[in-house]
Amino acid sequence: MIYADNASTTKMSKTAINAMLPYFDNIYGNPSSLYAFGQEAKEALEDCRQRAAACLNCEPREITFTSGGSEADNQAIVSAAKAGAKKGKKHIITTAFEHHAVLHTLKALEKDGFEVTYLDVHSNGIVTPQQVSDAIREDTCLVTIMFANNEIGTIQPIKEIGAVCREKKVLFHTDAVQAAGHIKVDVKEQNIDMLSISAHKFHGPKGTGLLYARKGIVLSNIIHGGAQERSKRAGTENIAGIAGMTAALEEACASIDENYNKMLPLRERLIDGLSKIEYSELNGDRESRLPGNVNFCFEGIEGESLLLLLDDKGICASSGSACTSGSLDPSHVLLAIGRPHEVAHGSLRLTINEEFTEEDIDYIIEAVTDVVTYLRNMSPFWRDLVNGVRPHVFAK
Ligand SMILES: *Cc1c(COP(=O)(O)O)cnc(C)c1O
């Protein structure tokens, strides 16, 4: 099997698994208890907080452990919104191609009277600091823009956007779930006030993440209850998960350059290979892009059929369209970068990791080329394109 869906989730690293084991077994105490046995777990928790903080270049007390990226996104946004509302500021800026953890949180806030500006994303999948600057108003309480997009892998000019927000004194949150452990993340250097990450996107366990919030920022609870996480996130801490995430984060951050250099030529080989398929195009900028992300649109193809046939050939991949939700809506990300509906339906996301080989890449290129040809030969829609009944969207 070739697992080319690493943006969806990753395999845990051995280091991360081993870091978790003691907390299922010997060190199972509750960190909130007073006896020495619980204190061992408490020490482990604080050790992880300090090490995770070092990876992001922040202070331990600026970190709140969460159940993942979604919870961290929710808490960051709701906290900024509540603080803003107290000062009569109820305007939030984001982009049209955020993850649903951000978009749906904002939709809920809109029902509570917040106004949200969704910045257009350029056709290359990048928003500019100028767009952010132009959109900021007197009543803006938050800018939330993802670090790297989960579908098309484009990397945003986070440091520059952060600088604009600092200058205008508006809080800046970034969903860095796809970035952390893959490209450099440094909250100080990159002018980030709040940031969300999720362990299972960098070879850590599922159900564990963290929220960084610069000191001075008051967080509101999403989960109410006990006094864990400085009373900002109730619930007995997932020590094993936190230990696994911390180990995975340290490991990934220490190998960012090495992994980048391994993956970049493979990504380029994959893009070159798939570009040879006629009437196809890469989605998103080729340069400002995660080293593991390749995302293509093929004219005259249904993404779901493509995925099923690739599965038969042992390739796990993903498509933008939300077939699992029962709707046939194409990806909001591809629509945001201006892909027409009929093309957005025929998308394919392949996300590789540092263990891929040239042989894997060549196998994928061959399989995708065969499957696209096969599906096009059966498609009445494709026949219309060939016969000139419908115009092509892409150049040959
Ligand atoms: C996966 C992902 C999330 C959600 O993280 P979970 O830990 O699965 O809740 C949020 N944002 C982005 C960009 C993601 O890729």
Side-chain angles (χ1 to χ4, degrees):
M1 181 190 76
I2 295 185
Y3 182 78
D5 200 16
N6 285 277
S8 147
T9 196
T10 58
K11 179 181 167 177
M12 278 189 66
S13 79
K14 290 279 176 289
T15 318
I17 294 173
N18 288 331
M20 294 176 78
L21 295 178
Y23 304 100
F24 293 121
D25 193 1
N26 292 329
I27 316 176
Y28 57 83
N30 188 323
S32 300
S33 46
L34 291 177
Y35 39 77
F37 182 53
Q39 287 309 299
E40 238 181 292
K42 172 87 182 158
E43 273 161 30
L45 178 66
E46 295 317 318
D47 175 58
C48 286
R49 198 184 307 280
Q50 191 234 314
R51 286 158 52 207
C55 293
L56 301 171
N57 193 21
C58 66
E59 289 175 29
R61 64 177 162 149
E62 295 174 313
I63 288 198
T64 306
F65 290 116
T66 68
S67 67
S70 298
E71 187 189 329
D73 283 341
N74 274 258
Q75 189 166 17
I77 293 167
V78 167
S79 298
K82 283 196 176 159
K86 276 190 192 148
K87 297 182 205 152
K89 296 184 172 191
K90 295 187 81 172
H91 175 240
I92 299 173
I93 297 166
T94 189
T95 74
F97 80 157
E98 297 297 309
H99 190 272
H100 286 132
V102 168
L103 289 178
H104 290 174
T105 305
L106 292 172
K107 283 277 169 262
L109 287 171
E110 282 178 315
K111 290 204 180 110
D112 288 339
F114 284 83
E115 192 188 328
V116 180
T117 298
Y118 298 90
L119 297 177
D120 284 332
V121 183
H122 290 268
S123 58
N124 64 354
I126 295 171
V127 290
T128 64
Q130 188 62 47
Q131 285 178 281
V132 177
S133 177
D134 292 346
I136 290 178
R137 314 191 310 211
E138 280 296 313
D139 62 342
T140 306
C141 62
L142 173 69
V143 170
T144 173
I145 294 179
M146 68 200 319
F147 207 125
N149 184 270
N150 48 301
E151 285 188 33
I152 58 175
T154 50
I155 300 167
Q156 308 305 310
I158 289 302
K159 181 178 174 181
E160 293 76 15
I161 291 172
V164 165
C165 296
R166 280 279 149 92
E167 191 200 317
K168 304 217 174 188
K169 299 192 167 54
V170 177
L171 277 184
F172 175 47
H173 165 253
T174 185
D175 173 339
V177 172
Q178 291 290 331
H182 300 281
I183 53 174
K184 190 176 162 209
V185 174
D186 179 323
V187 296
K188 283 214 181 73
E189 193 206 305
Q190 292 162 338
N191 305 310
I192 298 165
D193 295 319
M194 290 191 279
L195 164 137
S196 314
I197 72 173
S198 173
H200 75 102
K201 305 291 175 73
F202 50 80
H203 303 297
K206 293 167 185 59
T208 313
L210 67 79
L211 170 61
Y212 151 80
R214 190 167 50 77
K215 58 178 175 290
I217 294 172
V218 180
L219 293 182
S220 303
N221 287 63
I222 299 288
I223 299 181
H224 302 270
Q228 293 90 352
E229 298 298 289
R230 293 170 24 261
S231 296
K232 294 305 176 195
R233 201 281 182 185
T236 304
E237 299 87 344
N238 175 7
I239 307 275
I242 290 166
M245 169 166 66
T246 305
L249 184 63
E250 280 179 334
E251 192 178 35
C253 289
S255 350
I256 282 182
D257 291 340
E258 188 191 326
N259 289 342
Y260 193 93
N261 293 333
K262 262 191 221 160
M263 286 156 74
L264 198 64
L266 296 173
R267 183 194 80 186
E268 293 301 291
R269 188 181 181 96
L270 185 50
I271 294 176
D272 285 337
L274 297 182
S275 299
K276 296 208 178 90
I277 298 175
E278 60 176 17
Y279 302 109
S280 68
E281 250 182 46
L282 178 72
N283 292 311
D285 197 73
R286 189 162 176 171
E287 306 283 320
S288 187
R289 183 179 200 99
L290 292 171
N293 178 292
V294 173
N295 188 315
F296 265 81
C297 278
F298 303 102
E299 274 191 60
I301 295 287
E302 279 293 339
E304 290 85 64
S305 325
L306 185 57
L307 292 189
L308 292 175
L309 291 175
L310 287 177
D311 189 21
D312 284 345
K313 291 176 182 281
I315 298 172
C316 306
S318 152
S319 169
S321 49
C323 51
T324 44
S325 68
S327 83
L328 279 176
D329 291 342
S331 141
H332 69 288
V333 172
L334 297 177
L335 296 181
I337 62 168
R339 292 300 193 203
H341 275 250
E342 70 267 29
V343 175
H345 271 299
S347 73
L348 174 68
R349 179 185 74 181
L350 296 156
T351 41
I352 63 169
N353 69 16
E354 60 282 357
E355 286 173 4
F356 271 65
T357 62
E358 283 189 358
E359 290 70 48
D360 295 332
I361 299 294
D362 293 345
Y363 179 75
I364 296 176
I365 295 169
E366 195 188 314
V368 174
T369 308
D370 288 352
V371 170
V372 167
T373 308
Y374 173 80
L375 287 172
R376 280 176 174 172
N377 284 339
M378 296 198 313
S379 154
F381 190 86
W382 179 250
R383 202 168 310 131
D384 285 353
L385 290 166
V386 172
N387 295 335
V389 179
R390 278 171 204 271
H392 280 287
V393 173
F394 297 147
K396 191 169 181 186

Coordinates of all heavy atoms in Angstrom, one line a residue, residues 7-8 67-71 73 99 101 146 148 150 175 177-178 198 200-201 208, ligand 1:
A7 N -1.8 14.5 4.8 CA -2.4 15.7 5.3 C -3.7 15.4 6.1 O -4.2 16.2 6.9 CB -2.8 16.7 4.1
S8 N -4.2 14.2 5.9 CA -5.4 13.8 6.6 C -5.0 13.2 8.0 O -5.6 13.6 9.0 CB -6.1 12.8 5.7 OG -6.8 11.8 6.4
S67 N -7.7 18.8 22.9 CA -8.0 17.5 22.3 C -7.7 17.5 20.8 O -8.0 16.6 20.1 CB -9.5 17.2 22.5 OG -10.3 18.1 21.7
G68 N -7.1 18.6 20.3 CA -6.7 18.6 18.9 C -6.7 19.9 18.3 O -6.9 20.9 19.0
G69 N -6.6 19.9 17.0 CA -6.6 21.2 16.3 C -7.9 21.9 16.3 O -8.0 23.1 16.4
S70 N -9.0 21.1 16.1 CA -10.3 21.7 16.1 C -10.6 22.5 17.4 O -11.1 23.6 17.4 CB -11.4 20.6 15.9 OG -11.2 20.0 14.6
E71 N -10.4 21.8 18.5 CA -10.6 22.5 19.8 C -9.8 23.7 20.0 O -10.3 24.8 20.4 CB -10.4 21.5 21.0 CG -10.9 22.1 22.3 CD -10.5 21.3 23.5 OE1 -10.4 20.1 23.4 OE2 -10.2 22.0 24.6
D73 N -8.6 25.7 17.6 CA -9.2 26.7 16.8 C -10.4 27.3 17.4 O -10.5 28.6 17.4 CB -9.5 26.1 15.4 CG -8.3 25.9 14.5 OD1 -7.3 26.5 14.7 OD2 -8.5 25.1 13.5
H99 N -9.9 25.9 7.2 CA -10.4 24.6 7.6 C -11.8 24.8 8.2 O -12.1 25.9 8.8 CB -9.5 24.0 8.7 CG -9.8 22.6 9.0 ND1 -10.7 22.2 10.0 CD2 -9.3 21.4 8.5 CE1 -10.8 20.9 10.1 NE2 -9.9 20.4 9.2
A101 N -13.0 23.8 10.9 CA -12.9 24.1 12.4 C -12.9 25.6 12.6 O -13.4 26.1 13.6 CB -11.6 23.5 13.0
M146 N -5.0 30.8 8.2 CA -4.2 29.5 8.3 C -2.8 29.7 7.8 O -2.5 30.5 6.9 CB -4.9 28.4 7.6 CG -4.9 28.4 6.1 SD -6.2 27.4 5.4 CE -6.2 25.9 6.4
A148 N -0.7 27.1 6.6 CA -0.6 26.4 5.3 C -1.9 25.7 5.1 O -2.5 25.1 6.0 CB 0.5 25.4 5.4
N150 N -4.7 23.0 4.1 CA -4.7 21.5 4.2 C -5.0 20.8 2.9 O -4.7 19.7 2.7 CB -5.7 21.1 5.3 CG -7.0 21.7 5.2 OD1 -7.1 23.0 5.2 ND2 -8.1 20.9 5.0
D175 N -4.1 29.0 12.3 CA -4.3 27.6 12.3 C -3.0 27.0 11.7 O -2.9 27.0 10.4 CB -5.6 27.2 11.6 CG -5.7 25.7 11.4 OD1 -4.7 24.9 11.5 OD2 -6.9 25.2 11.2
V177 N -2.0 23.9 11.9 CA -2.0 22.4 12.0 C -1.2 21.7 10.9 O -0.6 20.7 11.1 CB -3.5 21.9 12.0 CG1 -3.6 20.4 11.9 CG2 -4.2 22.4 13.3
Q178 N -1.3 22.3 9.7 CA -0.5 21.7 8.6 C 0.9 22.1 8.5 O 1.7 21.4 7.9 CB -1.2 22.0 7.2 CG -2.5 21.4 7.0 CD -2.5 19.8 6.8 OE1 -1.5 19.3 6.3 NE2 -3.5 19.1 7.2
S198 N -1.9 20.3 15.9 CA -2.6 19.0 16.2 C -1.5 17.9 16.0 O -0.9 17.8 14.9 CB -3.7 18.8 15.2 OG -4.2 17.5 15.4
H200 N -1.6 14.6 15.4 CA -1.7 13.5 14.5 C -1.3 13.9 13.0 O -1.3 13.1 12.1 CB -3.1 12.8 14.5 CG -4.2 13.6 13.9 ND1 -4.7 13.3 12.6 CD2 -4.9 14.6 14.3 CE1 -5.7 14.1 12.3 NE2 -5.9 14.9 13.4
K201 N -1.0 15.2 12.9 CA -0.5 15.7 11.5 C 1.0 15.7 11.4 O 1.5 15.9 10.4 CB -1.1 17.1 11.2 CG -2.6 17.2 11.3 CD -3.3 16.5 10.2 CE -4.8 16.5 10.3 NZ -5.5 17.8 10.0
T208 N -5.0 14.9 20.3 CA -4.2 15.7 21.1 C -3.7 16.9 20.3 O -3.2 16.8 19.2 CB -2.9 15.0 21.6 OG1 -3.3 13.7 22.1 CG2 -2.2 15.7 22.7
Ligands
LIG1 C1 -6.6 18.4 10.6 C2 -6.8 19.9 10.6 C3 -7.5 20.5 11.7 C4 -8.2 19.7 12.7 O1 -7.4 19.1 13.6 P1 -7.9 17.9 14.5 O2 -6.8 17.6 15.5 O3 -8.2 16.7 13.6 O4 -9.1 18.4 15.2 C5 -7.6 21.9 11.7 N1 -7.0 22.6 10.8 C6 -6.3 22.1 9.8 C7 -5.7 23.0 8.8 C8 -6.2 20.7 9.7 O5 -5.5 20.2 8.6

